[in-house]
Amino acid sequence: MSHLVGFRFAEVLLPRPLANGFTYEIPTELSPHIRIGTRVLVQFGPRKIYSAIVIRLHNNAPDNYEPKQILEVLGPVIDDVRNLQFWQWMAEYYMCTPGEVMNVALPSRLKLESETQLQCLIEEEYWDENLEAEDREILTITRNSPETTLNDLVKQYGTAAAKRAKKLVDIGVLGIKESIKYHSLEKWIKVVHINAHKKKEIEAILHPKTKAKAQQNIVLAYYQLQAEGHLFITREMLLNRSTSTIAALDALVRKNILEIREIKESALFSRSGVQAAKLTEAQQEAYEKILKTFAENKIALLHGITSSGKTELYVHLMKEIEKSGGQCLMLVPEIALTTQLINRLRHFFGERVSLYHSRMTDRERSDVWESVRKNDPGSQLVVGARSAIFLPFSNLKLIIIDEEHDSSYRQDAPNPRYQGRDSAIYLATLFGAHVLLGTATPSVESYFNTLQGKYGLIELHQRYEGLQLPEVHLINIREEKKKNRMKGNFSQTLIEAIDDALRRKKQTIIFQNRRGYSPKLICEDCGTVQMCDRCDISLTIHKAVHRLKCHYCGREKSIPPACVVCGSIYLKMLGAGTEQIEDELSSLFPGARIERLDLDTAQSKKRYNKMLTDMESGQIDILVGTQMVTKGLNFTKVEVVGVVNADNLLYFPEYRAHERAFQLLEQVAGRSGRSGQVGKVFIQTYNTGHPVLTFVKTHDYKAFYEWQSQERKTFLYPPFVRMIHLMLRHKDLKLLQKASIELTSMLKSVSEILVIGPEFPPVNRVNNYYRMGIFLKIPRNKSYLKTKRQIWSVCLDFFTHPEYKTVKFFFEVDA
């Protein structure tokens, strides 16, 4: 982006929910350093200071306010204006503000906001004797600690401290100023070297009888990584590979066996990896079809059954992009998938693969951002979750969206509530890049687009090396109970299958899409269920930590010894989560090595990586998990997959329920039988005749699509119409209901749209806010953009009304 010198004003975007940018005057001395995409410091409001991004340069002073001056130039964060165009599109398409997009797009390290510092202005001997004790305490704190911020006080004493501080400011005894903390974007990497002069000490560490096993694992991991061709080995790489602690590594450093040095980040990207594996005949045919499709269509859907080798096709495509010097973005739906995938890709590409997702530290995310902006060698290939679409690309050539059907690509909160897959497709159009959607179970919308000719279609119906698809067995829970063949949550058939797999040193995956021990704790005498006091949902029992937890607002408390209403000690747990399943398996198979993979256990990055390593090496016999175990993971020794109860997937009150049930069940089934032996899948259910289960049993996606598309066409659901979900929230239920009814009536004035509602969602109160939803169905032949603008105009008029201005609302576009 060229420098634009000589402009008097800059319009900037602030990370605030503001509809428009704001104009600031450019000081003469800063003019040569300011261009579109530059990050600058500006004062917004009476005193607050923010980092903003320049989005336009001009010479027109604003009519309705006196522009303030830009305070400081922090440097460029975006070099290609197409990234800013993408933000603008996202704000308009998903019906939110550009500032909200900016707030989600930028790593926290690049969003500076001043903090209000408090300073005592008067010596204690001059304090008013009528000051209350709490006021004196605030003054004492600010006198003794001049850098105390308002946030510090609120964290320590609650929101009442803010009101007291304001009072002290008003009477002139407390002063305030804004301070801002800067972050350096220059990056140095700490790498580890082994000290070759410590030969005897290294031999002692590696001796089989050494007591320092953790240190031995680190040294062995170092040699393994070195043998794989890594020129530079970081502490993180060593700890992940060895699963040892930082304390063990530090002990080796103190012994001078390992040395830590700092090098510039760019030096990490010198290794180019190994040659990609040769494709099978079926894969080669699919690869050639992809290239042919790309010659005619920018977007292609790769419908490849589970274990057909889609990742190998991705690698070959990425190799071509790497050779051309272009950038490639590969999206995955779950952060959990990135660990195993990144290891596979780094085998082929070395350290030229960057990782980007929300669980990384602020420093790590900003480092990747800067690397992509500069188009460093390490940014050519980026693997990330949905937020990676916001990275500041300048030479984007290909976007690969793995598991394109997955619901995790949609952001639920905060704004923008966007669909990562669909947004990535628009991003690709801005850069003229190709898009490959990969999945074994395409979304109904994507498959519909192939039939309409909008996307190309490539099908891969053979598993890698000719492996067969798993056999699916449907087990009727009702019949099993009648025959007394159920032990807890497990049928005798499934128990026998697991036992057989254990005897033959094979692995099992058990899927239960509910974490915790049990979703309900009920009193057997009075029927009281332990509920969240902020949400209209029962508290889930987490037995391992002896807590009741709300999976909506996060509130938790101890499990009570007796009923809180009648005092009865007869409390019963209803339903089963992954914790309970793990307990039952431990009782059924006492000698088996069992692990649980869900949101609770995956919080620890180290534990998660160790679990994957142990599963790959066969040190885990049975892996229990939620939908985290259903997709993308490749374990060659898994032979048996069990689904504890499929019914909670099939009967969820949402029009996509059947689609998601088919996808989850087909995906989890695909984890089995990946190394010769035919996999076996056992699905327990009360309704073996359900159409979805029939399609899963025969692995027949096309039949499922025909059935599902006919239903949606009949009842007017996407993709045959476009749909927007408007959600209203307020703490006053009566006001919310009144607002929802009146707004629904007003929305019916928008021509040709079908308005459904208002209605309560399945959980109608979350975190003390009641919720009501309105669904808007829009014909496909009607202008989507024009209709959204009409809807936005109606809502803007409605929510500026004094009675309803406190009602919160948001849109879920393409719901």
Side-chain angles (χ1 to χ4, degrees):
M1 193 181 296
S2 60
H3 287 263
L4 301 170
V5 182
F7 289 98
R8 292 180 55 213
F9 300 102
E11 184 181 344
V12 304
L13 188 61
L14 290 147
R16 306 289 298 160
L18 305 168
N20 303 302
F22 283 80
T23 293
Y24 285 79
E25 187 179 359
I26 302 173
T28 305
E29 67 274 14
L30 298 183
S31 182
H33 309 290
I34 290 180
R35 59 184 180 179
I36 295 173
T38 299
R39 194 167 56 119
V40 295
L41 277 186
V42 297
Q43 182 182 337
F44 185 70
R47 61 177 68 91
K48 206 71 175 171
I49 298 171
Y50 292 94
S51 60
I53 294 179
V54 176
I55 58 174
R56 190 167 70 92
L57 296 167
H58 59 89
N59 289 312
N60 303 316
D63 296 328
N64 51 350
Y65 61 91
E66 184 70 26
K68 297 172 183 174
Q69 284 199 338
I70 289 174
L71 302 175
E72 189 176 337
V73 176
L74 298 174
V77 287
I78 291 173
D79 287 339
D80 195 307
V81 71
R82 287 174 290 188
N83 294 286
L84 292 173
Q85 291 171 355
F86 177 59
W87 291 11
Q88 187 61 47
W89 169 84
M90 181 169 278
E92 188 161 41
Y93 190 88
Y94 289 105
M95 304 175 78
C96 63
T97 66
E100 288 172 310
V101 177
M102 176 185 174
N103 201 37
V104 167
L106 283 182
S108 297
R109 200 176 184 86
L110 298 180
K111 293 179 294 187
L112 302 183
E113 179 179 341
S114 64
E115 284 195 287
T116 304
Q117 283 189 337
L118 304 173
Q119 294 178 319
C120 180
L121 301 177
I122 299 176
E123 293 298 325
E124 185 175 0
E125 59 192 271
Y126 299 111
W127 291 356
D128 190 330
E129 60 182 19
N130 295 321
L131 283 176
E132 296 180 26
E134 291 85 353
D135 296 333
R136 288 179 172 273
E137 189 170 355
I138 288 174
L139 290 174
T140 302
I141 291 169
T142 55
R143 185 192 62 186
N144 296 336
S145 303
E147 294 186 357
T148 300
T149 67
L150 186 60
N151 286 337
D152 293 335
L153 283 182
V154 171
K155 284 178 185 177
Q156 189 170 355
Y157 299 104
T159 54
K163 293 179 181 178
R164 290 189 174 275
K166 184 180 183 305
K167 183 187 77 172
L168 293 171
V169 169
D170 291 341
I171 63 176
V173 294
L174 196 64
I176 58 175
K177 71 172 185 175
E178 294 295 313
S179 66
I180 199 155
K181 185 177 180 182
Y182 294 84
H183 300 290
S184 170
L185 298 181
E186 187 177 351
K187 185 179 179 185
W188 289 74
I189 303 292
K190 288 184 177 180
V191 296
V192 182
H193 291 270
I194 202 156
N195 189 344
H197 299 295
K198 293 285 184 177
K199 189 174 180 180
K200 288 184 179 180
E201 289 86 345
I202 294 170
E203 287 176 354
I205 289 287
L206 294 177
H207 195 278
K209 293 185 178 179
T210 183
K211 293 182 179 180
K213 292 294 182 185
Q215 295 177 33
Q216 184 184 71
N217 288 341
I218 289 174
V219 174
L220 287 171
Y222 182 92
Y223 285 126
Q224 287 171 3
L225 290 164
Q226 194 177 60
E228 291 171 9
H230 292 273
L231 295 180
F232 299 104
I233 298 169
T234 66
R235 292 196 308 176
E236 184 182 28
M237 290 165 66
L238 268 183
L239 294 172
N240 285 342
R241 179 64 65 92
S242 66
T243 68
S244 295
T245 63
I246 188 73
L249 191 147
D250 288 343
L252 288 167
V253 173
R254 286 195 299 272
K255 293 175 182 177
N256 205 24
I257 293 172
L258 294 181
E259 299 173 347
I260 294 179
R261 305 173 192 167
E262 285 195 342
I263 62 169
K264 284 187 176 180
E265 176 192 38
S266 57
L268 280 177
F269 308 118
S270 56
R271 179 175 174 265
S272 59
V274 301
Q275 187 66 32
K278 188 177 180 180
L279 298 175
T280 64
E281 186 177 337
Q283 288 174 328
Q284 184 63 37
E285 185 180 343
Y287 181 70
E288 290 171 3
K289 283 183 179 178
I290 291 171
L291 297 180
K292 184 179 178 182
T293 301
F294 278 167
E296 303 167 357
N297 199 318
K298 288 287 187 182
I299 308 168
L301 173 66
L302 173 61
H303 180 198
I305 61 174
T306 55
S307 194
S308 57
K310 293 185 288 295
T311 304
E312 282 70 25
L313 295 176
Y314 300 157
V315 168
H316 277 72
L317 290 167
M318 293 166 84
K319 280 281 185 183
E320 292 302 312
I321 299 300
E322 184 190 34
K323 287 178 188 175
S324 72
Q327 293 172 313
C328 174
L329 169 62
M330 183 176 179
L331 293 180
V332 292
E334 294 273 6
I335 295 167
L337 300 183
T338 57
T339 300
Q340 197 178 45
L341 179 63
I342 205 78
N343 288 338
R344 292 176 69 183
L345 292 178
R346 279 183 175 157
H347 175 70
F348 295 110
F349 299 103
E351 277 72 42
R352 293 180 182 268
V353 183
S354 290
L355 185 61
Y356 193 83
H357 56 71
S358 60
R359 289 276 288 278
M360 296 166 68
T361 66
D362 288 343
R363 180 61 192 252
E364 289 170 335
R365 282 164 61 85
S366 61
D367 287 343
V368 175
W369 182 281
E370 190 68 0
S371 178
V372 171
R373 185 187 69 80
K374 292 178 178 177
N375 204 5
D376 285 339
S379 70
Q380 272 190 271
L381 309 172
V382 179
V383 178
R386 61 176 181 257
S387 60
I389 61 175
F390 296 111
L391 286 167
F393 296 102
S394 56
N395 194 22
L396 188 61
K397 299 296 184 184
L398 173 67
I399 299 179
I400 297 169
I401 306 175
D402 193 32
E403 311 291 356
E404 66 85 22
H405 66 276
D406 200 283
S407 60
S408 298
Y409 282 122
R410 177 171 282 280
Q411 171 152 307
D412 296 322
N415 280 343
R417 289 166 165 82
Y418 66 96
Q419 222 293 352
R421 175 199 63 211
D422 299 344
S423 300
I425 290 172
Y426 184 79
L427 177 67
T429 64
L430 289 173
F431 283 88
H434 289 103
V435 178
L436 182 65
L437 308 170
T439 178
T441 53
S443 65
V444 170
E445 286 87 348
S446 292
Y447 202 76
F448 174 82
N449 284 332
T450 66
L451 299 180
Q452 299 295 308
K454 191 175 178 180
Y455 300 170
L457 176 63
I458 300 95
E459 295 180 303
L460 191 55
H461 293 308
Q462 289 185 29
R463 274 190 146 193
Y464 189 67
E465 296 182 340
L467 298 174
Q468 294 183 45
L469 284 166
E471 299 172 354
V472 178
H473 304 270
L474 304 180
I475 301 170
N476 192 312
I477 298 174
R478 187 177 286 105
E479 293 298 320
E480 292 292 298
K481 283 184 175 180
K482 284 181 182 178
K483 296 175 183 177
N484 201 27
R485 285 172 53 84
M486 292 291 293
K487 291 186 178 179
N489 290 286
F490 291 87
S491 63
Q492 190 62 37
T493 305
L494 181 51
I495 291 170
E496 290 169 0
I498 297 170
D499 188 53
D500 183 56
L502 288 170
R503 282 189 286 102
R504 292 186 296 104
K505 309 296 182 185
K506 298 293 183 181
Q507 293 172 311
T508 297
I509 288 178
I510 299 296
F511 169 56
Q512 173 70 339
N513 202 30
R514 183 179 281 155
R515 63 189 175 100
Y517 194 88
S518 181
K520 285 184 181 179
L521 182 65
I522 186 171
C523 173
E524 292 188 90
D525 287 337
C526 71
T528 297
V529 175
Q530 290 289 315
M531 302 290 290
C532 177
D533 57 7
R534 296 177 183 170
C535 311
D536 289 336
I537 192 73
S538 61
L539 293 169
T540 298
I541 303 149
H542 287 253
K543 194 176 178 184
V545 292
H546 197 71
R547 306 287 285 173
L548 293 173
K549 296 184 180 182
C550 176
H551 289 175
Y552 278 79
C553 73
R555 187 170 178 79
E556 58 179 89
K557 62 181 181 179
S558 298
I559 298 174
C563 176
V564 293
V565 174
C566 72
S568 171
I569 60 171
Y570 298 104
L571 303 178
K572 183 180 180 180
M573 292 180 282
L574 293 181
T578 49
E579 272 190 47
Q580 187 176 142
I581 299 304
E582 183 184 20
D583 268 8
E584 288 186 3
L585 286 168
S586 297
S587 299
L588 291 168
F589 307 102
R593 296 163 296 184
I594 302 167
E595 285 287 350
R596 173 166 51 90
L597 179 58
D598 55 26
L599 196 60
D600 298 321
T601 60
Q603 292 291 333
S604 165
K605 183 178 177 181
K606 182 181 173 185
R607 183 179 176 187
Y608 171 72
N609 288 337
K610 185 176 188 306
M611 207 179 299
L612 290 188
T613 303
D614 289 349
M615 193 71 184
E616 287 173 335
S617 62
Q619 295 181 55
I620 295 174
D621 297 315
I622 305 172
L623 182 64
V624 181
T626 55
Q627 59 180 298
M628 293 178 76
V629 303
T630 68
K631 49 206 171 187
L633 298 174
N634 182 36
F635 302 123
T636 56
K637 294 182 181 180
V638 174
E639 188 176 295
V640 173
V641 166
V643 178
V644 175
N645 191 331
D647 298 330
N648 57 15
L649 300 174
L650 297 171
Y651 299 107
F652 193 78
E654 206 257 326
Y655 83 95
R656 294 186 193 273
H658 289 155
E659 178 184 10
R660 288 176 180 160
F662 176 83
Q663 289 163 346
L664 278 172
L665 294 173
E666 186 66 15
Q667 290 283 344
V668 75
R671 299 313 105 202
S672 66
R674 289 175 168 246
S675 62
Q677 191 74 23
V678 178
K680 295 179 180 179
V681 182
F682 300 88
I683 300 176
Q684 299 183 158
T685 174
Y686 283 93
N687 183 6
T688 54
H690 196 288
V692 169
L693 300 181
T694 303
F695 300 132
V696 171
K697 184 176 174 62
T698 56
H699 305 289
D700 194 342
Y701 173 80
K702 288 184 179 179
F704 164 78
Y705 173 82
E706 290 297 329
W707 171 70
Q708 186 65 190
S709 63
Q710 188 57 50
E711 278 205 339
R712 294 194 187 183
K713 190 173 184 179
T714 301
F715 297 104
L716 291 179
Y717 281 105
F720 300 98
V721 296
R722 296 184 181 276
M723 193 160 76
I724 297 172
H725 184 206
L726 171 56
M727 181 71 83
L728 281 67
R729 301 189 305 141
H730 202 276
K731 292 184 178 181
D732 185 331
L733 178 58
K734 288 184 179 180
L735 178 62
L736 176 67
Q737 288 176 312
K738 184 181 178 184
S740 301
I741 292 168
E742 288 189 24
L743 180 58
T744 299
S745 178
M746 291 177 66
L747 286 167
K748 288 178 180 178
S749 66
V750 180
S751 63
E752 296 183 57
I753 70 169
L754 179 62
V755 183
I756 301 172
E759 59 187 33
F760 289 111
V763 179
N764 69 348
R765 183 173 62 103
V766 173
N767 217 2
N768 284 328
Y769 279 91
Y770 292 96
R771 308 186 299 168
M772 292 198 80
I774 303 168
F775 285 93
L776 309 169
K777 292 184 178 181
I778 303 161
R780 292 195 72 87
N781 60 1
K782 187 173 172 63
S783 170
Y784 202 22
L785 179 59
K786 183 179 177 181
T787 305
K788 283 192 287 188
R789 285 174 176 169
Q790 290 174 325
I791 292 167
W792 181 262
S793 177
V794 169
C795 291
L796 204 61
D797 287 344
F798 181 80
F799 289 110
T800 52
H801 190 281
E803 187 177 4
Y804 301 127
K805 65 181 181 181
T806 58
V807 178
K808 300 179 184 293
F809 72 100
F810 61 83
F811 296 95
E812 292 176 323
V813 177
D814 297 335

